[in-house]
Amino acid sequence: MRALRGIASSRGMTRESIRRHLSSVKIFLDFIKSRGLTIINVDLHILWDFLQHIVEGGAKYKTIENYFSALLSFYDYLAFEGIVDRNIVLPFRKRYLKRYKSVYDDPQRRLLSVEEMSRLVNSIMDPRDKAIAVLLAKTGIRRGELLRLDIDDVNWENYSITLKPTPKRSNRIVFFDDECARLCVGWLRVREKLNPPTKALFISYQSLQRLDRNGLWNAIIKYARRQDSTTPSRRA
């Protein structure tokens, strides 16, 4: 980190820019450490997972750019010192961040109107998928936050949910209404009969384990397509 600070200073970066670069690299190092990896083990798949991690934490495109600018400098230094064979961040940044920018800049990406959302919800017959759609719509929680929910996170006395901590969210408590409660209770009755070996609130019908990103996508997007709604690419 000291070496990275020296590189940043030599490039004429401001103190605040240096601080952001160091913070970005530290967050990345903590991320790969949590996976049992080191800087030498990082490949394109790990960079993609990290990108998804910060996006689900609420990072906007400019913040994402800052993260990968810092990582680019970091891996430049590692390659120069012979610690890694090459700067793996460079091809990843050129290919995937440009594609991500197109998603953020896509004028067709928009919020559904109340009428469109109502039609979408009414078209869903599956109790799990309907509960998911209404919970996302009425609480405004992110996809990753929903996927990490456990049954114990729901407080039925005051109709609230305590979200798992993320770097970008300060208020972890969200509230839901009677309709949302009714649909979630309906899903919990179905879930109880499935007897899954997990505390996850939403599970896969196939594995009975916690629902993942692809499962959530498939659970919602098929209904949106039926409604001829605007649908983003799964991996932009």
Side-chain angles (χ1 to χ4, degrees):
M1 297 295 280
R2 184 178 300 173
L4 185 61
R5 187 189 298 272
I7 294 170
S9 298
S10 68
R11 293 181 177 177
M13 295 173 63
T14 65
R15 181 176 298 180
E16 177 60 21
S17 295
I18 294 173
R19 185 197 66 77
R20 286 200 302 266
H21 264 55
L22 294 175
S23 175
S24 297
V25 172
K26 184 180 184 303
I27 289 171
F28 175 72
L29 293 177
D30 289 342
F31 174 79
I32 62 174
K33 183 179 179 181
S34 71
R35 301 290 186 91
L37 301 171
T38 68
I39 53 177
I40 300 174
N41 306 127
V42 172
D43 58 18
L44 294 177
H45 297 292
I46 299 303
L47 291 176
W48 175 260
D49 286 345
F50 180 67
L51 174 59
Q52 294 298 302
H53 172 71
I54 58 178
V55 167
E56 290 181 1
K60 303 301 182 184
Y61 181 73
K62 185 62 178 177
T63 304
I64 295 170
E65 270 194 327
N66 290 337
Y67 268 107
F68 281 89
S69 176
L71 292 180
L72 185 67
S73 297
F74 182 53
Y75 271 85
D76 260 345
Y77 167 76
L78 295 178
F80 178 78
E81 292 293 328
I83 299 173
V84 297
D85 294 334
R86 62 191 178 94
N87 187 346
I88 196 171
V89 179
L90 184 60
F92 181 89
R93 189 169 180 247
K94 284 183 177 179
R95 179 173 183 180
Y96 291 103
L97 289 201
K98 285 184 178 179
R99 293 171 63 188
Y100 240 89
K101 188 175 190 301
S102 68
V103 173
Y104 278 91
D105 293 344
D106 187 353
Q108 291 187 340
R109 285 177 62 87
R110 58 182 176 81
L111 293 175
L112 295 178
S113 68
V114 174
E115 292 77 12
E116 288 171 329
M117 192 65 213
S118 178
R119 287 200 303 270
L120 174 62
V121 170
N122 289 334
S123 73
I124 301 175
M125 295 294 105
D126 184 278
R128 182 199 66 182
D129 299 349
K130 194 160 193 164
I132 287 174
V134 172
L135 193 60
L136 287 171
K138 295 206 170 186
T139 64
I141 63 175
R142 302 181 181 97
R143 176 181 62 176
E145 292 172 330
L146 180 135
L147 293 174
R148 288 189 288 270
L149 288 179
D150 293 325
I151 291 179
D152 296 340
D153 294 331
V154 183
N155 185 328
W156 294 103
E157 291 185 3
N158 64 357
Y159 281 16
S160 70
I161 296 173
T162 302
L163 304 175
K164 299 294 191 296
T166 60
K168 291 291 183 177
R169 182 181 284 276
S170 56
N171 181 14
R172 292 171 48 207
I173 298 178
V174 296
F175 295 90
F176 53 91
D177 62 10
D178 289 336
E179 180 190 16
C180 196
R182 176 175 56 80
L183 293 173
C184 285
V185 168
W187 157 241
L188 286 175
R189 292 196 185 104
V190 174
R191 184 191 180 283
E192 184 178 9
K193 293 178 182 178
L194 296 173
N195 193 27
T198 174
K199 291 184 177 180
L201 180 58
F202 295 107
I203 61 169
S204 163
Y205 285 124
Q206 287 73 39
S207 68
L208 299 185
Q209 296 295 333
R210 186 180 301 275
L211 191 65
D212 60 17
R213 289 196 298 262
N214 288 338
L216 177 58
W217 172 272
N218 292 329
I220 298 300
I221 204 64
K222 58 188 176 186
Y223 303 107
R225 282 176 175 158
R226 288 176 191 170
Q227 293 297 309
D228 197 26
S229 299
T230 301
T231 57
S233 170
R234 183 188 307 183
R235 282 197 171 183

